[in-house]
Amino acid sequence: MILNRDNISDRLAAVGYIADRDVATALWLMDFLKRPLLLEGEAGVGKTEVAKALAAVHEAELIRLQCYEGLDQNAALYEWNYQRQLLAIKTREGVGENADVIEEHIFSERYLLERPLLAAIRREKPPVLLVDEVDRADEEFEAFLLELLSDFQVSIPELGTVKATSIPRVVLTSNGTRELSDALRRRCLYHYVDFPDVDREARIIITRTPGIDTALAVQIARMVASVRKEDLRKVPGVAETLDWAATLAGLDLHDLRQEPEAVHETMLCLLKTREDRSRLTREVTERLLGKVA
Amino acid sequence: MSVATVSTSGDGIGEPARRRLAGFVRTLRDNGFKIGLAETGDALEMLAAPLAVRPSTLKPALRSLFCATHSDWERFDEIFEAYWQGRGIHQARTLAGSALESRAPARHLKDVGSRAGTPGLPDHVERNHDDDDGDSAGDGRGRREGASRFENLTSADLRDIVDPADIAQAHALAARLSHAMRARLVRRDRVRRRGRRLDLRRTIHRNVSHGGTLVELAWRRRKIKPLRLVFLLDASGSMSLYTAFFVRFLHGVVDAFRESEAFVFHTRLAHVSASLRDRDVTRAVDKLSLMAQGIGGGTKIGESLATFNRWHARRVINSRTAVMIVSDGYDTGTPEQLGEEMRRLRRRCRRIIWLNPLIGWRDYSPQARGMQAALPYIDLFAPAHNLESLAALEPYLARI
């Protein structure tokens, strides 16, 4: 099923993701050209959410591979079930089978453990494969991933080549902690995810925070936008905004300007380091609140 | 936009649109975008799909397809408008055809455009040293410690090397030194790999013939990440006598170490790794010297470091990174800012090495206020006035 370009935004909204036009285009293009999508952007702008929403729209399974330093093929692709293999060796030896037959047996499908990448290409219905924070993995892994993304087949030395039964939709995200290779970048469509503008963030708040009134949501979005412009060590992401919105809604606030005290105190939802906390003093908060009006 | 109307024809797109698109791809490539045939093919396919493209989606769709990095992403709109809507198209083309380097990104080329004769630049680099002869004969040479003109080139102060043949030789030495450093550092790295754990997969595979009894064990070694070097080179007027040598040295280092990044700063910071990776040394050095030319107005070390910390540090610094700042420490910004930014930088990286050419001068003590503010955060404060002092860094780096 290919997404229709016109209603893709609506369908994303239906599953709770407020997309801007460009993301919608990128997602459509991804289906049209059958290329993976590389999302870059600061932490907390909602890159992972895009993949989740995509899976929800297609009613497909989301298979997630979280990358980290030292991630290798055993953890990403497949692993043998050692305990069962050892057990099998022992029992079969007792019956008196010879080593070659045992070897044949223990390196068969039954003893294979699927890891995310193998799982993603062996599903009946194409899943959404999310390769999260690919920049954290080593260069060797990146090269291997590139091979998988172009051929959609893997070779397991003991077992042979496994071809994809369905081609997954692949979304990669990167925080830019390491420069990705040109080859991987070229293979993928690219989208730079920015913080949502005030309008979109307000809509996100309304969608995700039940019972919040529109005026407050807009005020919160504006406030967060101006907080982001301050020189902070850790700029608050959309998740922080939602936490804050939920807190304010829970306190039964209706107008931020009426309650500068509560606003300042609950800002700890947004500011996650001591430096940032001390930078946004009461005075600064009030100045920012003044602009929100 | 004309493309959208052409695309209604159903089977493929017309020749004019095809040519327009090819031109667009060429413009992007001239501006440093890395676009292969596959991408162009996909773009054609996309344009040919009757219902797929309308003007409002053409731009975001092409942008997703053709961009590969954030800087591509930021420049795309401008180039797109210029090409498809005719605004500024002339400028884009003439810049692209500029004599210096057709594949260089636009911002470099813009710099070139504002100067008249690019071929003259290599001369400029050398002229620095010729001028130097006259300028520093009185004050510099007398104070320099150790070497005299007759000594080996490796120990001669770089300012004093004026003969073109000597300059060439010193450049070659700098390049060779950087390669040697790499070879030795990498070798030591291998010897150091310990920290072993059992590799179950291999162990079992190997022991099937023993009936599953684990006789032979297979071990896995922890991989140690190679040391990453990040250079911040001061290219201000006060450093101009040394800049050309460091640029050459940097080229060698960036070429040899896969894990290295280089930045040049005077009043602002420029990321120059890409230019340094140019295989052609002379061209790379020329390009860089061009960027390194201070416009005057002093050195803003603190501000440049702030830019680095804010925009680049997260990407280029990992847990095994040594940051090397090559500067004389004459900062026209406030020492407080420099101190603060040094503190931030120190928290991120493994070591900060400050190479100061002035240390080689007799009686030098770091009196400059900026230097004073930075000192507490520096792990190694070392001279860098000759090739010997650069070579002396290697044992230190190997220990990190």
Side-chain angles (χ1 to χ4, degrees), chain A residues 5 22 29 35 69 74 82 89 93 140 176-177 179 185-186 190, chain B residues 39 42 46 54 57 63-64 67-68 70 201 211 223 225 315:
Chain A
R5 236 212 52 72
D22 293 357
L29 204 59
R35 278 175 183 253
E69 247 183 78
N74 299 8
Y82 303 119
I89 293 172
E93 205 184 32
E140 294 84 350
T177 55
E179 198 58 77
R185 285 180 183 280
R186 267 193 40 201
Y190 180 86
Chain B
E39 283 74 31
D42 278 353
M46 198 177 73
R54 64 189 73 159
T57 40
R63 184 168 55 192
S64 281
C67 289
H70 187 205
R201 177 203 292 255
K223 219 183 78 185
K225 275 195 290 180
R315 186 171 48 79

PDB file of all heavy atoms in Angstrom, chain A residues 5 22 29 35 69 74 82 89 93 140 176-177 179 185-186 190, chain B residues 39 42 46 54 57 63-64 67-68 70 201 211 223 225 315:
ATOM      1  N   ARG A   5      -0.274  10.998  -1.349  1.00  0.00           N
ATOM      2  CA  ARG A   5       0.374  12.216  -0.915  1.00  0.00           C
ATOM      3  C   ARG A   5      -0.593  13.204  -0.272  1.00  0.00           C
ATOM      4  O   ARG A   5      -0.220  13.976   0.595  1.00  0.00           O
ATOM      5  CB  ARG A   5       1.060  12.886  -2.108  1.00  0.00           C
ATOM      6  CG  ARG A   5       2.533  13.124  -1.887  1.00  0.00           C
ATOM      7  CD  ARG A   5       2.972  14.353  -2.597  1.00  0.00           C
ATOM      8  NE  ARG A   5       2.105  15.476  -2.244  1.00  0.00           N
ATOM      9  CZ  ARG A   5       2.122  16.071  -1.082  1.00  0.00           C
ATOM     10  NH1 ARG A   5       2.939  15.679  -0.143  1.00  0.00           N
ATOM     11  NH2 ARG A   5       1.317  17.086  -0.840  1.00  0.00           N
ATOM     12  N   ASP A  22       6.651  19.080   4.918  1.00  0.00           N
ATOM     13  CA  ASP A  22       7.868  18.512   4.345  1.00  0.00           C
ATOM     14  C   ASP A  22       8.103  17.076   4.808  1.00  0.00           C
ATOM     15  O   ASP A  22       8.545  16.232   4.040  1.00  0.00           O
ATOM     16  CB  ASP A  22       9.070  19.383   4.693  1.00  0.00           C
ATOM     17  CG  ASP A  22       8.995  20.736   4.020  1.00  0.00           C
ATOM     18  OD1 ASP A  22       8.031  20.929   3.247  1.00  0.00           O
ATOM     19  OD2 ASP A  22       9.872  21.573   4.259  1.00  0.00           O
ATOM     20  N   LEU A  29       7.693  10.119  -0.419  1.00  0.00           N
ATOM     21  CA  LEU A  29       8.784   9.861  -1.351  1.00  0.00           C
ATOM     22  C   LEU A  29       9.494   8.552  -1.023  1.00  0.00           C
ATOM     23  O   LEU A  29       9.960   7.823  -1.894  1.00  0.00           O
ATOM     24  CB  LEU A  29       9.780  11.016  -1.260  1.00  0.00           C
ATOM     25  CG  LEU A  29      10.672  11.268  -2.472  1.00  0.00           C
ATOM     26  CD1 LEU A  29       9.821  11.541  -3.671  1.00  0.00           C
ATOM     27  CD2 LEU A  29      11.588  12.441  -2.193  1.00  0.00           C
ATOM     28  N   ARG A  35      13.352   4.106  -0.903  1.00  0.00           N
ATOM     29  CA  ARG A  35      14.635   4.394  -0.277  1.00  0.00           C
ATOM     30  C   ARG A  35      14.432   4.561   1.217  1.00  0.00           C
ATOM     31  O   ARG A  35      13.366   4.968   1.656  1.00  0.00           O
ATOM     32  CB  ARG A  35      15.208   5.711  -0.815  1.00  0.00           C
ATOM     33  CG  ARG A  35      15.925   5.600  -2.137  1.00  0.00           C
ATOM     34  CD  ARG A  35      16.301   7.011  -2.554  1.00  0.00           C
ATOM     35  NE  ARG A  35      16.934   7.022  -3.868  1.00  0.00           N
ATOM     36  CZ  ARG A  35      18.237   7.228  -4.050  1.00  0.00           C
ATOM     37  NH1 ARG A  35      19.029   7.416  -3.035  1.00  0.00           N
ATOM     38  NH2 ARG A  35      18.736   7.247  -5.264  1.00  0.00           N
ATOM     39  N   GLU A  69      27.738   2.254  20.864  1.00  0.00           N
ATOM     40  CA  GLU A  69      29.131   1.981  20.555  1.00  0.00           C
ATOM     41  C   GLU A  69      29.431   0.517  20.762  1.00  0.00           C
ATOM     42  O   GLU A  69      29.106  -0.042  21.815  1.00  0.00           O
ATOM     43  CB  GLU A  69      30.003   2.790  21.504  1.00  0.00           C
ATOM     44  CG  GLU A  69      30.797   3.855  20.824  1.00  0.00           C
ATOM     45  CD  GLU A  69      31.663   4.546  21.836  1.00  0.00           C
ATOM     46  OE1 GLU A  69      32.687   3.983  22.210  1.00  0.00           O
ATOM     47  OE2 GLU A  69      31.275   5.651  22.239  1.00  0.00           O
ATOM     48  N   ASN A  74      26.261  -9.646  15.933  1.00  0.00           N
ATOM     49  CA  ASN A  74      25.577 -10.611  16.800  1.00  0.00           C
ATOM     50  C   ASN A  74      24.375  -9.995  17.490  1.00  0.00           C
ATOM     51  O   ASN A  74      23.380 -10.659  17.724  1.00  0.00           O
ATOM     52  CB  ASN A  74      26.515 -11.117  17.903  1.00  0.00           C
ATOM     53  CG  ASN A  74      27.709 -11.828  17.334  1.00  0.00           C
ATOM     54  OD1 ASN A  74      27.905 -11.814  16.126  1.00  0.00           O
ATOM     55  ND2 ASN A  74      28.500 -12.440  18.179  1.00  0.00           N
ATOM     56  N   TYR A  82      23.180 -20.587  22.177  1.00  0.00           N
ATOM     57  CA  TYR A  82      24.279 -21.438  22.656  1.00  0.00           C
ATOM     58  C   TYR A  82      23.829 -22.514  23.639  1.00  0.00           C
ATOM     59  O   TYR A  82      24.266 -23.652  23.561  1.00  0.00           O
ATOM     60  CB  TYR A  82      25.346 -20.575  23.333  1.00  0.00           C
ATOM     61  CG  TYR A  82      25.871 -19.507  22.435  1.00  0.00           C
ATOM     62  CD1 TYR A  82      25.737 -18.173  22.751  1.00  0.00           C
ATOM     63  CD2 TYR A  82      26.488 -19.852  21.235  1.00  0.00           C
ATOM     64  CE1 TYR A  82      26.200 -17.200  21.914  1.00  0.00           C
ATOM     65  CE2 TYR A  82      26.963 -18.878  20.397  1.00  0.00           C
ATOM     66  CZ  TYR A  82      26.818 -17.549  20.736  1.00  0.00           C
ATOM     67  OH  TYR A  82      27.279 -16.595  19.909  1.00  0.00           O
ATOM     68  N   ILE A  89      24.300 -30.956  21.656  1.00  0.00           N
ATOM     69  CA  ILE A  89      25.548 -31.693  21.453  1.00  0.00           C
ATOM     70  C   ILE A  89      25.650 -32.836  22.458  1.00  0.00           C
ATOM     71  O   ILE A  89      25.915 -33.982  22.116  1.00  0.00           O
ATOM     72  CB  ILE A  89      26.767 -30.753  21.609  1.00  0.00           C
ATOM     73  CG1 ILE A  89      26.785 -29.727  20.481  1.00  0.00           C
ATOM     74  CG2 ILE A  89      28.057 -31.553  21.605  1.00  0.00           C
ATOM     75  CD1 ILE A  89      27.820 -28.642  20.660  1.00  0.00           C
ATOM     76  N   GLU A  93      25.393 -36.763  21.396  1.00  0.00           N
ATOM     77  CA  GLU A  93      26.630 -37.496  21.587  1.00  0.00           C
ATOM     78  C   GLU A  93      26.341 -38.794  22.345  1.00  0.00           C
ATOM     79  O   GLU A  93      26.895 -39.847  22.043  1.00  0.00           O
ATOM     80  CB  GLU A  93      27.588 -36.633  22.400  1.00  0.00           C
ATOM     81  CG  GLU A  93      29.022 -36.960  22.199  1.00  0.00           C
ATOM     82  CD  GLU A  93      29.846 -36.109  23.139  1.00  0.00           C
ATOM     83  OE1 GLU A  93      29.354 -35.797  24.251  1.00  0.00           O
ATOM     84  OE2 GLU A  93      30.962 -35.751  22.756  1.00  0.00           O
ATOM     85  N   GLU A 140      32.300   0.323  11.093  1.00  0.00           N
ATOM     86  CA  GLU A 140      32.182  -1.012  10.504  1.00  0.00           C
ATOM     87  C   GLU A 140      30.717  -1.406  10.409  1.00  0.00           C
ATOM     88  O   GLU A 140      30.276  -1.973   9.415  1.00  0.00           O
ATOM     89  CB  GLU A 140      32.912  -2.065  11.353  1.00  0.00           C
ATOM     90  CG  GLU A 140      34.407  -1.909  11.422  1.00  0.00           C
ATOM     91  CD  GLU A 140      34.823  -0.922  12.499  1.00  0.00           C
ATOM     92  OE1 GLU A 140      33.945  -0.225  13.050  1.00  0.00           O
ATOM     93  OE2 GLU A 140      36.026  -0.831  12.783  1.00  0.00           O
ATOM     94  N   GLY A 176      23.924  13.336  15.146  1.00  0.00           N
ATOM     95  CA  GLY A 176      25.113  14.068  14.739  1.00  0.00           C
ATOM     96  C   GLY A 176      26.247  14.010  15.749  1.00  0.00           C
ATOM     97  O   GLY A 176      27.027  14.945  15.861  1.00  0.00           O
ATOM     98  N   THR A 177      26.395  12.905  16.511  1.00  0.00           N
ATOM     99  CA  THR A 177      27.559  12.814  17.382  1.00  0.00           C
ATOM    100  C   THR A 177      28.766  12.361  16.587  1.00  0.00           C
ATOM    101  O   THR A 177      29.889  12.462  17.037  1.00  0.00           O
ATOM    102  CB  THR A 177      27.360  11.813  18.536  1.00  0.00           C
ATOM    103  OG1 THR A 177      26.995  10.561  17.996  1.00  0.00           O
ATOM    104  CG2 THR A 177      26.296  12.293  19.476  1.00  0.00           C
ATOM    105  N   GLU A 179      30.146  11.994  12.262  1.00  0.00           N
ATOM    106  CA  GLU A 179      29.814  12.240  10.865  1.00  0.00           C
ATOM    107  C   GLU A 179      29.516  10.902  10.194  1.00  0.00           C
ATOM    108  O   GLU A 179      30.316   9.974  10.291  1.00  0.00           O
ATOM    109  CB  GLU A 179      31.002  12.936  10.199  1.00  0.00           C
ATOM    110  CG  GLU A 179      30.682  13.620   8.904  1.00  0.00           C
ATOM    111  CD  GLU A 179      29.606  14.677   9.052  1.00  0.00           C
ATOM    112  OE1 GLU A 179      29.898  15.774   9.542  1.00  0.00           O
ATOM    113  OE2 GLU A 179      28.462  14.395   8.657  1.00  0.00           O
ATOM    114  N   ARG A 185      24.736   8.285   3.488  1.00  0.00           N
ATOM    115  CA  ARG A 185      23.911   9.459   3.257  1.00  0.00           C
ATOM    116  C   ARG A 185      23.298   9.440   1.856  1.00  0.00           C
ATOM    117  O   ARG A 185      22.155   9.808   1.659  1.00  0.00           O
ATOM    118  CB  ARG A 185      24.738  10.734   3.431  1.00  0.00           C
ATOM    119  CG  ARG A 185      25.020  11.066   4.868  1.00  0.00           C
ATOM    120  CD  ARG A 185      25.831  12.331   4.974  1.00  0.00           C
ATOM    121  NE  ARG A 185      26.172  12.627   6.345  1.00  0.00           N
ATOM    122  CZ  ARG A 185      25.350  13.199   7.220  1.00  0.00           C
ATOM    123  NH1 ARG A 185      24.137  13.551   6.833  1.00  0.00           N
ATOM    124  NH2 ARG A 185      25.729  13.423   8.447  1.00  0.00           N
ATOM    125  N   ARG A 186      24.105   9.018   0.900  1.00  0.00           N
ATOM    126  CA  ARG A 186      23.595   9.030  -0.472  1.00  0.00           C
ATOM    127  C   ARG A 186      22.514   7.998  -0.687  1.00  0.00           C
ATOM    128  O   ARG A 186      21.605   8.178  -1.483  1.00  0.00           O
ATOM    129  CB  ARG A 186      24.744   8.804  -1.450  1.00  0.00           C
ATOM    130  CG  ARG A 186      25.320  10.106  -1.929  1.00  0.00           C
ATOM    131  CD  ARG A 186      26.218   9.908  -3.111  1.00  0.00           C
ATOM    132  NE  ARG A 186      25.711   8.944  -4.050  1.00  0.00           N
ATOM    133  CZ  ARG A 186      26.475   8.318  -4.925  1.00  0.00           C
ATOM    134  NH1 ARG A 186      27.756   8.568  -4.950  1.00  0.00           N
ATOM    135  NH2 ARG A 186      25.971   7.466  -5.759  1.00  0.00           N
ATOM    136  N   TYR A 190      16.944  12.377   2.792  1.00  0.00           N
ATOM    137  CA  TYR A 190      17.389  13.112   3.956  1.00  0.00           C
ATOM    138  C   TYR A 190      16.312  14.088   4.396  1.00  0.00           C
ATOM    139  O   TYR A 190      15.682  14.743   3.576  1.00  0.00           O
ATOM    140  CB  TYR A 190      18.672  13.869   3.611  1.00  0.00           C
ATOM    141  CG  TYR A 190      19.239  14.689   4.738  1.00  0.00           C
ATOM    142  CD1 TYR A 190      20.085  14.101   5.656  1.00  0.00           C
ATOM    143  CD2 TYR A 190      18.931  16.033   4.874  1.00  0.00           C
ATOM    144  CE1 TYR A 190      20.617  14.835   6.698  1.00  0.00           C
ATOM    145  CE2 TYR A 190      19.454  16.777   5.908  1.00  0.00           C
ATOM    146  CZ  TYR A 190      20.304  16.174   6.818  1.00  0.00           C
ATOM    147  OH  TYR A 190      20.828  16.913   7.842  1.00  0.00           O
TER     148      TYR A 190
ATOM    149  N   GLU B  39      20.434   9.055  -7.933  1.00  0.00           N
ATOM    150  CA  GLU B  39      19.545  10.107  -7.435  1.00  0.00           C
ATOM    151  C   GLU B  39      18.891  10.853  -8.597  1.00  0.00           C
ATOM    152  O   GLU B  39      17.712  11.164  -8.559  1.00  0.00           O
ATOM    153  CB  GLU B  39      20.316  11.100  -6.561  1.00  0.00           C
ATOM    154  CG  GLU B  39      20.615  10.607  -5.171  1.00  0.00           C
ATOM    155  CD  GLU B  39      21.701   9.561  -5.128  1.00  0.00           C
ATOM    156  OE1 GLU B  39      22.610   9.591  -5.980  1.00  0.00           O
ATOM    157  OE2 GLU B  39      21.647   8.684  -4.269  1.00  0.00           O
ATOM    158  N   ASP B  42      16.183   8.755  -9.970  1.00  0.00           N
ATOM    159  CA  ASP B  42      14.999   8.783  -9.110  1.00  0.00           C
ATOM    160  C   ASP B  42      14.224  10.081  -9.280  1.00  0.00           C
ATOM    161  O   ASP B  42      12.996  10.082  -9.254  1.00  0.00           O
ATOM    162  CB  ASP B  42      15.419   8.618  -7.647  1.00  0.00           C
ATOM    163  CG  ASP B  42      15.634   7.162  -7.282  1.00  0.00           C
ATOM    164  OD1 ASP B  42      15.325   6.300  -8.132  1.00  0.00           O
ATOM    165  OD2 ASP B  42      16.106   6.886  -6.172  1.00  0.00           O
ATOM    166  N   MET B  46      10.424  10.505 -10.481  1.00  0.00           N
ATOM    167  CA  MET B  46       9.468  11.234  -9.665  1.00  0.00           C
ATOM    168  C   MET B  46       8.734  12.286 -10.491  1.00  0.00           C
ATOM    169  O   MET B  46       7.516  12.426 -10.400  1.00  0.00           O
ATOM    170  CB  MET B  46      10.235  11.908  -8.539  1.00  0.00           C
ATOM    171  CG  MET B  46       9.410  12.343  -7.396  1.00  0.00           C
ATOM    172  SD  MET B  46      10.526  13.013  -6.171  1.00  0.00           S
ATOM    173  CE  MET B  46      10.969  14.551  -6.938  1.00  0.00           C
ATOM    174  N   ARG B  54       3.527  18.259  -7.838  1.00  0.00           N
ATOM    175  CA  ARG B  54       3.011  19.566  -8.187  1.00  0.00           C
ATOM    176  C   ARG B  54       3.977  20.567  -7.598  1.00  0.00           C
ATOM    177  O   ARG B  54       4.799  20.191  -6.751  1.00  0.00           O
ATOM    178  CB  ARG B  54       1.604  19.718  -7.627  1.00  0.00           C
ATOM    179  CG  ARG B  54       1.585  19.694  -6.121  1.00  0.00           C
ATOM    180  CD  ARG B  54       0.209  19.625  -5.607  1.00  0.00           C
ATOM    181  NE  ARG B  54      -0.347  18.291  -5.825  1.00  0.00           N
ATOM    182  CZ  ARG B  54      -1.363  17.831  -5.126  1.00  0.00           C
ATOM    183  NH1 ARG B  54      -1.942  18.583  -4.234  1.00  0.00           N
ATOM    184  NH2 ARG B  54      -1.817  16.626  -5.327  1.00  0.00           N
ATOM    185  N   THR B  57       5.056  20.503  -3.935  1.00  0.00           N
ATOM    186  CA  THR B  57       5.811  19.392  -3.369  1.00  0.00           C
ATOM    187  C   THR B  57       7.141  19.184  -4.055  1.00  0.00           C
ATOM    188  O   THR B  57       7.970  18.434  -3.578  1.00  0.00           O
ATOM    189  CB  THR B  57       5.041  18.064  -3.461  1.00  0.00           C
ATOM    190  OG1 THR B  57       4.391  18.031  -4.705  1.00  0.00           O
ATOM    191  CG2 THR B  57       4.107  17.895  -2.313  1.00  0.00           C
ATOM    192  N   ARG B  63      14.433  18.186  -2.280  1.00  0.00           N
ATOM    193  CA  ARG B  63      15.337  18.461  -1.185  1.00  0.00           C
ATOM    194  C   ARG B  63      15.650  17.178  -0.418  1.00  0.00           C
ATOM    195  O   ARG B  63      16.793  16.876  -0.108  1.00  0.00           O
ATOM    196  CB  ARG B  63      14.731  19.499  -0.244  1.00  0.00           C
ATOM    197  CG  ARG B  63      15.673  19.899   0.871  1.00  0.00           C
ATOM    198  CD  ARG B  63      15.184  21.110   1.601  1.00  0.00           C
ATOM    199  NE  ARG B  63      13.828  20.885   2.095  1.00  0.00           N
ATOM    200  CZ  ARG B  63      13.051  21.843   2.566  1.00  0.00           C
ATOM    201  NH1 ARG B  63      13.458  23.075   2.577  1.00  0.00           N
ATOM    202  NH2 ARG B  63      11.848  21.576   3.009  1.00  0.00           N
ATOM    203  N   SER B  64      14.614  16.397  -0.132  1.00  0.00           N
ATOM    204  CA  SER B  64      14.842  15.135   0.570  1.00  0.00           C
ATOM    205  C   SER B  64      15.761  14.225  -0.228  1.00  0.00           C
ATOM    206  O   SER B  64      16.596  13.517   0.315  1.00  0.00           O
ATOM    207  CB  SER B  64      13.520  14.406   0.805  1.00  0.00           C
ATOM    208  OG  SER B  64      12.861  14.960   1.892  1.00  0.00           O
ATOM    209  N   CYS B  67      19.625  16.242  -0.743  1.00  0.00           N
ATOM    210  CA  CYS B  67      20.437  16.659   0.392  1.00  0.00           C
ATOM    211  C   CYS B  67      20.977  15.445   1.126  1.00  0.00           C
ATOM    212  O   CYS B  67      20.330  14.410   1.198  1.00  0.00           O
ATOM    213  CB  CYS B  67      19.625  17.494   1.373  1.00  0.00           C
ATOM    214  SG  CYS B  67      19.234  19.105   0.727  1.00  0.00           S
ATOM    215  N   ALA B  68      22.168  15.613   1.669  1.00  0.00           N
ATOM    216  CA  ALA B  68      22.727  14.517   2.456  1.00  0.00           C
ATOM    217  C   ALA B  68      23.194  14.986   3.826  1.00  0.00           C
ATOM    218  O   ALA B  68      23.392  14.186   4.715  1.00  0.00           O
ATOM    219  CB  ALA B  68      23.877  13.859   1.709  1.00  0.00           C
ATOM    220  N   HIS B  70      23.205  18.405   6.883  1.00  0.00           N
ATOM    221  CA  HIS B  70      22.477  19.577   7.353  1.00  0.00           C
ATOM    222  C   HIS B  70      22.879  20.826   6.586  1.00  0.00           C
ATOM    223  O   HIS B  70      22.058  21.679   6.296  1.00  0.00           O
ATOM    224  CB  HIS B  70      22.722  19.777   8.853  1.00  0.00           C
ATOM    225  CG  HIS B  70      21.893  20.862   9.459  1.00  0.00           C
ATOM    226  ND1 HIS B  70      22.262  21.545  10.573  1.00  0.00           N
ATOM    227  CD2 HIS B  70      20.712  21.392   9.079  1.00  0.00           C
ATOM    228  CE1 HIS B  70      21.350  22.449  10.858  1.00  0.00           C
ATOM    229  NE2 HIS B  70      20.385  22.376   9.968  1.00  0.00           N
ATOM    230  N   ARG B 201      30.262 -17.668  20.440  1.00  0.00           N
ATOM    231  CA  ARG B 201      29.957 -18.184  19.115  1.00  0.00           C
ATOM    232  C   ARG B 201      31.126 -18.990  18.553  1.00  0.00           C
ATOM    233  O   ARG B 201      30.984 -20.128  18.133  1.00  0.00           O
ATOM    234  CB  ARG B 201      29.642 -17.016  18.178  1.00  0.00           C
ATOM    235  CG  ARG B 201      29.384 -17.418  16.761  1.00  0.00           C
ATOM    236  CD  ARG B 201      29.641 -16.241  15.854  1.00  0.00           C
ATOM    237  NE  ARG B 201      28.630 -15.196  16.067  1.00  0.00           N
ATOM    238  CZ  ARG B 201      27.632 -14.972  15.212  1.00  0.00           C
ATOM    239  NH1 ARG B 201      27.499 -15.689  14.154  1.00  0.00           N
ATOM    240  NH2 ARG B 201      26.776 -14.013  15.439  1.00  0.00           N
ATOM    241  N   GLY B 211      32.908 -32.746  20.992  1.00  0.00           N
ATOM    242  CA  GLY B 211      31.638 -33.169  21.556  1.00  0.00           C
ATOM    243  C   GLY B 211      31.030 -32.115  22.452  1.00  0.00           C
ATOM    244  O   GLY B 211      30.291 -32.415  23.384  1.00  0.00           O
ATOM    245  N   LYS B 223      37.658  -3.594  21.402  1.00  0.00           N
ATOM    246  CA  LYS B 223      38.294  -2.691  20.460  1.00  0.00           C
ATOM    247  C   LYS B 223      38.448  -1.329  21.099  1.00  0.00           C
ATOM    248  O   LYS B 223      37.503  -0.779  21.640  1.00  0.00           O
ATOM    249  CB  LYS B 223      37.411  -2.564  19.219  1.00  0.00           C
ATOM    250  CG  LYS B 223      38.203  -2.522  17.956  1.00  0.00           C
ATOM    251  CD  LYS B 223      37.303  -2.330  16.788  1.00  0.00           C
ATOM    252  CE  LYS B 223      36.897  -0.880  16.688  1.00  0.00           C
ATOM    253  NZ  LYS B 223      35.928  -0.648  15.644  1.00  0.00           N
ATOM    254  N   LYS B 225      38.918   2.495  20.685  1.00  0.00           N
ATOM    255  CA  LYS B 225      38.717   3.481  19.628  1.00  0.00           C
ATOM    256  C   LYS B 225      40.008   4.238  19.362  1.00  0.00           C
ATOM    257  O   LYS B 225      40.732   4.564  20.299  1.00  0.00           O
ATOM    258  CB  LYS B 225      37.635   4.468  20.039  1.00  0.00           C
ATOM    259  CG  LYS B 225      36.266   3.970  19.727  1.00  0.00           C
ATOM    260  CD  LYS B 225      35.270   5.086  19.798  1.00  0.00           C
ATOM    261  CE  LYS B 225      35.071   5.532  21.219  1.00  0.00           C
ATOM    262  NZ  LYS B 225      34.100   6.617  21.331  1.00  0.00           N
ATOM    263  N   ARG B 315      29.542  16.893  17.709  1.00  0.00           N
ATOM    264  CA  ARG B 315      29.739  15.977  16.592  1.00  0.00           C
ATOM    265  C   ARG B 315      31.187  15.482  16.504  1.00  0.00           C
ATOM    266  O   ARG B 315      31.427  14.311  16.238  1.00  0.00           O
ATOM    267  CB  ARG B 315      29.350  16.669  15.285  1.00  0.00           C
ATOM    268  CG  ARG B 315      29.368  15.778  14.081  1.00  0.00           C
ATOM    269  CD  ARG B 315      28.765  16.520  12.901  1.00  0.00           C
ATOM    270  NE  ARG B 315      29.335  17.857  12.781  1.00  0.00           N
ATOM    271  CZ  ARG B 315      30.526  18.090  12.252  1.00  0.00           C
ATOM    272  NH1 ARG B 315      31.245  17.107  11.775  1.00  0.00           N
ATOM    273  NH2 ARG B 315      30.997  19.309  12.179  1.00  0.00           N
TER     274      ARG B 315
END
